[in-house]
Amino acid sequence: MKLIEADAKRLLRDAGITVPAASRDRFPLYVKAQVLEGRRGKRGWVRRCSDAEELAKNISELEAMLRDTPHAEFLCETELPHEVEWLVSLTIDRDSGQIVGSVSEEGGVGVSAARSFPVHTPEDIGTLDLPNGIKKILASLFDAFQKHDALSIEINPLAVLADGSCVALDAKIELDDAAAFRHPEWAGFTALPESGRVRSEREEAYTLRQAQAGHRGTFGQYVELDGDIAMILSGGGASLVAMDALRAAGGRPANYVEMSGNPDPEAVREASRIVLSKPGIRAIWIAGSFANFTDIQATVMATIEAVRELGLRVPIVIRRDGPNAEAAKKDAERWASEHGVSLRFDFGDVDLDQSAAAAVAASRV
Amino acid sequence: MIWESFSTDTPVLIQGMTGKEGQRMAKWLIASGVNVVAGVTPGKGGQEVEGRPVFNTVAEARTAFPDVTVTSIVIPPARVVGAVEEAVQVGIRYLHILTEQVPVHDVMRMKDIAHTHRATILGPSSVGYLQFPQFRIGYLGGESPFETVKEGGTAIVSTSGGMTNELMMALSRNGIGVRVAFALGGDRVVGTTLEEAISWCEEHPEVASLALFVEPGRPFLNALCDGSFVFKKPAVVFLAGEALDDLPRGLPYGHTGTMLGEGELTVRETRQKLRERGIMCVATMSEFIHVCKEL
């Protein structure tokens, strides 16, 4: 999860890093929109106010601007005079699979303009050719990074005051969702949708369902799109192949969603129910790669159960293979003929491109 | 990457064999000729799964089967790092991890531990490994892959387990044989990277060509684009996901490691770059098969 600035600063403060005092009555101050998007300054979402009247005016303007953007309560911080700004960050480098630090003496610039170095142990920080104040911040960050299961922490800018002390003026933190089981305290953080737009009711419901899913199987991202073919996809990589194939065949997906790794059929039924309740669906495409260990019968029939519950009467095209696939085909076809639903079930010898074309054709009947 | 060519004689351990997935894995592996000798589940020592003994610790299993150096780990995410540590400390050298949703800090820690003990980790979130002469670990290929998968010279390497299997089955259907298949797992950080597995394949003469399925946002694609990684054997890269070019960036699609950041090349641009470098890059399954027939 990505943290809003106010939560990120709470975490930094606990790690011993100074952050500006929050205040709505010590002017001049900055009012800052609490959103997950970057470039807030350029968007006019951070504003300096010299008195209470200006603050009130800015807050009402910002509220109007942010009507369609997920945001939390505004953060107001008293201005802090300073000369020098740094950028200090830690992240996990996907290339090396290690923690990498970045610093720049010119805060405000992107991380790409900064100097980077691997940080394996706290001792690595001691050997860096950097001012002691910056090294102290890096050491506190490294400790917080590990303790909080962070994927990235960025302080930009970090103000260096006349007396040499450092204050984090802005902070971005992303935490590893997979580690949520050992961080009950994360429940206290504000969870905003990362897509930058307000979630639909269905996306909201799916997110809740996702949060409750156990470790078995994967409930990937659900994103509503503006097409008319509902996709229930399996396999992280195959979901991309499938979506490309559907679009290449002239189809317009109603959503992206991916469930795999032999997920619990009951969870598949609930998630399918959410996805398939989107209005305007003209066909359902259940597609995935040749499964290694996902029970095809249990998962396909879980989605069909959701179709039954919703009373949907649209064509269903399925391309699945793997464990229990033959039983899945038999069950699905029997259900379809009993309910008068058009259903086509192909195995692995029909590739995703061909099945996508069949789904597009079915949606146009 | 330290890896071996295994065989039907290679003894294999399953950590978590008494669980639902562990039991099924034992059954399928044994049925496909893999020499599963024992399982480990703390507190369940003395039980049996598929006629194989279960021990409380890896150390006890190693005492009973001193030759075992390969393990499959199928346990809940919170306990995986401990299971890895336990295994490498008593001499296990090849570790496959099926478990998904392992915290990335745990993965970095287990990579350190494995490195110290000169052990190799495949995964987490890896569906497995398969090779000829007949051997596999994990679930790669499903229930009985050796009935369908054709033996040959192609190495399949992918971060996606489903697509590793899809390519393996499609190649076999089209008369193209497979030598090895690595499903590396799609997480941000994994025990064995695309570069490492590909390099291993290139060093082994029994592998004639490489078939890769790569997802957008993988650092490996940057290495191919800027020329810092060059194939030494005939290779085809299946790069899917141009649909992501039109979806919000900065979000993971499918795997946590599949993410286009702000300012990164689009999928179409990446394909173009790879082709300019002379790399065979395809976008669909039919193109993939067509190119593999030519390799």
Side-chain angles (χ1 to χ4, degrees):
Chain A
M1 88 186 284
K2 288 180 183 148
L3 300 188
I4 54 167
E5 180 192 0
D7 286 341
K9 283 181 166 168
R10 199 143 59 91
L11 191 152
L12 288 183
R13 202 173 38 228
D14 292 346
I17 293 169
T18 310
V19 300
S23 163
R24 292 202 172 211
D25 50 24
R26 283 198 305 275
F27 296 94
L29 57 72
Y30 284 95
V31 55
K32 309 173 89 177
Q34 295 302 291
V35 296
L36 293 180
E37 276 98 329
R39 296 188 295 275
R40 289 178 302 168
K42 286 202 184 74
R43 288 172 157 159
W45 292 354
V46 174
R47 296 178 176 197
R48 187 174 185 275
C49 312
S50 41
D51 54 38
E53 196 185 329
E54 211 179 340
L55 173 62
K57 178 173 154 280
N58 275 320
I59 285 187
S60 69
E61 279 178 25
L62 283 168
E63 263 165 1
M65 281 174 90
L66 295 170
R67 223 182 26 228
D68 298 324
T69 307
H71 64 282
E73 201 187 329
F74 295 100
L75 177 65
C76 296
E77 291 177 340
T78 305
E79 186 178 51
L80 202 63
H82 63 277
E83 299 275 304
V84 187
E85 290 188 344
W86 281 66
L87 171 156
V88 180
S89 79
L90 287 177
T91 184
I92 294 171
D93 178 54
R94 293 176 46 192
D95 240 329
S96 62
Q98 289 183 347
I99 301 173
V100 168
S102 296
V103 295
S104 166
E105 285 169 65
E106 291 171 67
V109 301
V111 179
S112 53
R115 156 162 95 91
S116 298
F117 41 85
V119 186
H120 214 68
T121 63
E123 289 72 46
D124 290 350
I125 296 165
T127 63
L128 295 166
D129 180 22
L130 287 170
N132 279 333
I134 302 295
K135 284 204 261 193
K136 232 182 100 195
I137 294 283
L138 268 174
S140 305
L141 277 192
F142 185 68
D143 189 46
F145 198 83
Q146 293 191 307
K147 188 172 134 199
H148 293 283
D149 276 293
L151 297 174
S152 66
I153 302 186
E154 181 185 318
I155 303 178
N156 185 22
L158 176 79
V160 182
L161 308 192
D163 65 358
S165 60
C166 298
V167 181
L169 296 187
D170 193 7
K172 283 201 187 79
I173 295 181
E174 184 173 6
L175 306 172
D176 182 5
D177 293 323
F181 67 83
R182 59 187 173 214
H183 295 283
E185 76 282 6
W186 289 0
F189 291 135
T190 302
L192 293 182
E194 292 180 18
S195 60
R197 57 177 171 81
V198 178
R199 286 192 197 107
S200 74
E201 248 172 74
R202 286 171 297 276
E203 286 173 325
E204 200 64 54
Y206 182 87
T207 308
L208 278 177
R209 187 67 202 76
Q210 203 178 15
Q212 291 157 10
H215 65 86
R216 207 186 291 281
T218 298
F219 285 84
Q221 201 73 236
Y222 168 57
V223 182
E224 289 198 344
L225 304 168
D226 56 9
D228 53 11
I229 300 177
M231 307 192 299
I232 303 284
L233 305 178
S234 302
S239 68
L240 305 182
V241 179
M243 193 159 46
D244 285 355
L246 192 75
R247 286 160 39 118
R252 289 167 51 242
N255 63 277
Y256 171 85
V257 76
E258 190 264 323
M259 305 174 215
S260 55
N262 202 21
D264 171 25
E266 179 54 19
V268 172
R269 183 189 64 80
E270 283 180 37
S272 300
R273 205 184 146 118
I274 296 166
V275 173
L276 298 176
S277 64
K278 185 168 182 269
I281 290 173
R282 296 184 54 88
I284 299 166
W285 190 37
I286 303 173
S289 45
F290 210 114
N292 294 289
F293 67 110
T294 293
D295 185 329
I296 302 298
Q297 182 187 24
T299 49
V300 165
M301 291 315 290
T303 296
I304 287 182
E305 176 60 16
V307 173
R308 190 193 63 76
E309 287 170 11
L310 292 166
L312 272 175
R313 284 287 178 272
V314 296
I316 302 172
V317 175
I318 302 170
R319 192 278 187 181
R320 296 294 282 138
D321 210 332
N324 286 338
E326 277 170 24
K329 183 175 161 91
K330 207 178 280 171
D331 282 3
E333 287 176 346
R334 187 190 311 123
W335 178 85
S337 72
E338 281 169 13
H339 289 77
V341 169
S342 146
L343 183 140
R344 170 178 166 159
F345 194 126
D346 288 307
F347 295 131
D349 55 330
V350 168
D351 71 22
L352 285 164
D353 299 331
Q354 295 165 312
S355 179
V360 173
S363 76
R364 291 178 180 157
V365 170
Chain B
M1 178 194 189
I2 309 161
W3 200 250
E4 274 180 39
S5 193
F6 304 98
S7 75
T8 42
D9 296 331
T10 307
V12 172
L13 198 67
I14 297 178
Q15 286 170 264
M17 190 163 72
T18 54
K20 180 184 154 211
E21 293 295 359
Q23 288 184 35
R24 187 167 61 147
M25 188 186 286
K27 190 170 164 195
W28 287 8
L29 286 181
I30 292 164
S32 51
V34 176
N35 183 23
V36 176
V37 292
V40 173
T41 304
K44 305 227 166 143
Q47 295 186 5
E48 277 191 0
V49 171
E50 300 293 319
R52 308 305 197 266
V54 175
F55 297 90
N56 285 318
T57 65
V58 182
E60 287 170 28
R62 276 272 291 178
T63 308
F65 299 94
D67 295 336
V68 65
T69 57
V70 183
T71 187
S72 244
I73 296 178
V74 200
I75 63 176
R79 297 207 294 271
V80 170
V81 68
V84 168
E85 195 162 16
E86 186 194 346
V88 296
Q89 276 170 357
V90 295
I92 300 291
R93 288 291 164 265
Y94 307 101
L95 300 95
H96 160 252
I97 304 171
L98 181 85
T99 311
E100 299 189 52
Q101 298 178 49
V102 178
V104 68
H105 282 265
D106 290 4
V107 180
M108 291 191 288
R109 223 183 99 208
M110 64 180 83
K111 281 187 80 157
D112 280 347
I113 297 168
H115 184 78
T116 310
H117 288 86
R118 295 180 55 74
T120 301
I121 295 173
L122 196 59
S125 303
S126 160
V127 91
Y129 165 81
L130 182 146
Q131 64 155 58
F132 290 95
Q134 199 167 323
F135 177 82
R136 66 164 177 156
I137 41 175
Y139 278 128
L140 187 56
E143 191 167 355
S144 41
F146 295 107
E147 291 170 15
T148 14
V149 179
K150 200 172 159 336
E151 181 172 354
T154 307
I156 301 168
V157 182
S158 180
T159 46
S160 166
M163 285 309 291
T164 307
N165 196 23
E166 183 78 30
L167 300 190
M168 192 161 74
M169 297 301 175
L171 288 177
S172 300
R173 253 198 321 274
N174 285 277
I176 302 166
V178 173
R179 177 57 45 185
V180 289
F182 288 97
L184 304 171
D187 293 359
R188 277 182 193 81
V189 177
V190 287
T192 298
T193 64
L194 282 163
E195 284 90 333
E196 289 166 333
I198 292 166
S199 300
W200 185 88
C201 293
E202 292 193 321
E203 285 158 18
H204 286 75
E206 62 273 24
V207 173
S209 60
L210 291 154
L212 317 173
F213 178 84
V214 188
E215 294 152 304
R218 295 278 162 196
F220 176 66
L221 289 172
N222 300 335
L224 286 180
C225 283
D226 67 23
S228 55
F229 190 97
V230 179
F231 292 115
K232 296 184 200 73
K233 285 185 180 173
V236 52
V237 178
F238 187 165
L239 173 58
E242 63 189 53
L244 298 196
D245 292 348
D246 305 325
L247 290 175
R249 291 202 169 198
L251 299 177
Y253 291 96
H255 295 125
T256 57
T258 305
M259 193 190 303
L260 279 181
E262 303 281 346
E264 276 183 69
L265 292 182
T266 65
V267 171
R268 289 180 189 85
E269 287 164 349
T270 308
R271 282 187 197 137
Q272 186 56 35
K273 267 255 162 71
L274 294 182
R275 286 168 189 151
E276 282 166 15
R277 288 245 169 231
I279 295 166
M280 203 75 85
C281 179
V282 301
T284 66
M285 205 64 205
S286 46
E287 269 183 86
F288 171 78
I289 293 297
H290 178 77
V291 169
C292 285
K293 283 182 174 165
E294 310 280 296
L295 277 186

